[in-house]
Amino acid sequence: MARTKSWGQRLARLMVQVVAAIPICVWAAEPDSADPLLQRYINASGGANRLGALRSRVTEATMRSGWFSVSVKTTQIWPDRIHVEARVPLLGRLISSGYDGTVGWATGEDGALRQLAGRELQEFLLGQRLDRLVRLFELYPSRHLLPAGTDGSQRVELKTTFGTSETWTFDPATGLLRSTDGQRDEGPKKGVVRVVSRFEDYRNVDGLVLPFKCEVQDGKDQFTVAITKIEDNVSINASSIEIPASVKAP
């Protein structure tokens, strides 16, 4: 049961990886050798006008690892409100994490709620915020083109303001994101874990081209994420992203 709890919590966090692959930003700012490739990705994904018009998004998905399955719903509201809710049947409860614009929270393996802070909160928010359109250069001050892969794939290294880095690989034919390769700090007990996500099954959703399948290698564990529904610019009551009282800031 302990392993089941750990998987449930990790699956909820991994939804961040998938949603982050759905582009919501325009690459701009100072010229860099990587910028044309990144701009091509934006264009292939639907273009700046459609991407910049996003104000909310609801994503539903199923995450599987062998026999283990979790249903996940992610709600995003401009600029950075987020609620990730994973239903874990074996635990008989929901595992959730979120951010209300001020305070972040997550459910622990024992079901207890705790406040997110520091790098953990920054990593959680990085791929979720719908205002990346206006903050991207601030969030990724370093963007460099890497040598092409042996299969001709094109790669870019992105570094954040808080010290993390990611390598994004693009399909040379379509310009769409093929994979991301980065690390996540799991704390003093587990240390830094490598996370590789591979994206497939791109579909057109109201003019945006989005991945509906993701294969994730999270440390020693493997997961498959299948998105079942994406809805953009839907009406969402901001109060639905509610911070539990036990983790509210004083």
Side-chain angles (χ1 to χ4, degrees):
M1 179 62 73
R3 181 170 175 80
T4 300
K5 291 180 181 179
S6 178
W7 280 3
Q9 184 182 21
R10 183 176 290 129
L11 284 168
R13 290 199 308 268
L14 285 176
M15 195 60 197
V16 174
Q17 306 286 333
V18 182
V19 177
I22 300 173
I24 55 174
C25 51
V26 177
W27 300 87
E30 297 178 359
D32 186 272
S33 60
D35 286 353
L37 178 59
L38 296 170
Q39 187 59 57
R40 185 190 180 207
Y41 168 48
I42 294 300
N43 294 339
S45 301
N49 290 337
R50 284 193 175 95
L51 297 173
L54 291 174
R55 287 299 177 269
S56 67
R57 169 169 282 163
V58 177
T59 305
E60 296 180 11
T62 299
M63 309 180 77
R64 293 186 175 89
S65 177
W67 55 269
F68 191 70
S69 178
V70 176
S71 297
V72 181
K73 181 178 180 180
T74 302
T75 302
Q76 299 162 281
I77 301 176
W78 179 279
D80 55 8
R81 294 194 177 192
I82 172 71
H83 187 200
V84 182
E85 189 175 71
R87 185 174 297 278
V88 186
L90 290 180
L91 299 183
R93 64 170 181 265
L94 296 176
I95 292 177
S96 69
S97 53
Y99 183 71
D100 72 343
T102 303
V103 182
W105 84 94
T107 304
E109 295 182 5
D110 57 357
L113 289 166
R114 61 187 180 84
Q115 185 171 331
L116 298 179
R119 175 170 167 174
E120 185 178 21
L121 178 60
Q122 290 175 310
E123 288 182 344
F124 177 76
L125 290 176
L126 181 61
Q128 301 294 313
R129 50 188 316 129
L130 288 179
D131 67 344
R132 282 171 58 183
L133 172 64
V134 296
R135 292 198 59 202
L136 186 67
F137 183 55
E138 177 187 350
L139 295 172
Y140 290 102
S142 176
R143 312 180 305 280
H144 297 296
L145 190 65
L146 299 176
T150 56
D151 59 352
S153 58
Q154 299 162 306
R155 303 185 302 150
V156 172
E157 181 187 54
L158 304 172
K159 294 184 179 181
T160 67
T161 57
F162 52 92
T164 62
S165 65
E166 307 165 36
T167 297
W168 291 13
T169 301
F170 300 92
D171 187 291
T174 65
L176 294 170
L177 186 63
R178 180 182 287 177
S179 67
T180 61
D181 187 339
Q183 296 180 329
R184 184 180 64 249
D185 189 351
E186 288 285 302
K189 291 185 178 181
K190 296 182 179 180
V192 176
V193 176
R194 183 185 180 191
V195 180
V196 179
S197 302
R198 296 179 175 84
F199 308 102
E200 306 173 14
D201 190 18
Y202 277 86
R203 306 179 191 178
N204 191 303
V205 179
D206 297 327
L208 297 180
V209 181
L210 311 173
F212 271 66
K213 182 180 179 181
C214 180
E215 298 287 347
V216 180
Q217 181 74 46
D218 184 332
K220 297 181 179 180
D221 297 319
Q222 293 182 330
F223 304 90
T224 298
V225 181
I227 292 179
T228 56
K229 180 188 292 187
I230 297 176
E231 294 182 301
D232 287 340
N233 293 327
V234 294
S235 178
I236 300 173
N237 190 333
S239 63
S240 65
I241 300 181
E242 184 175 329
I243 306 302
S246 59
V247 295
K248 285 184 178 179

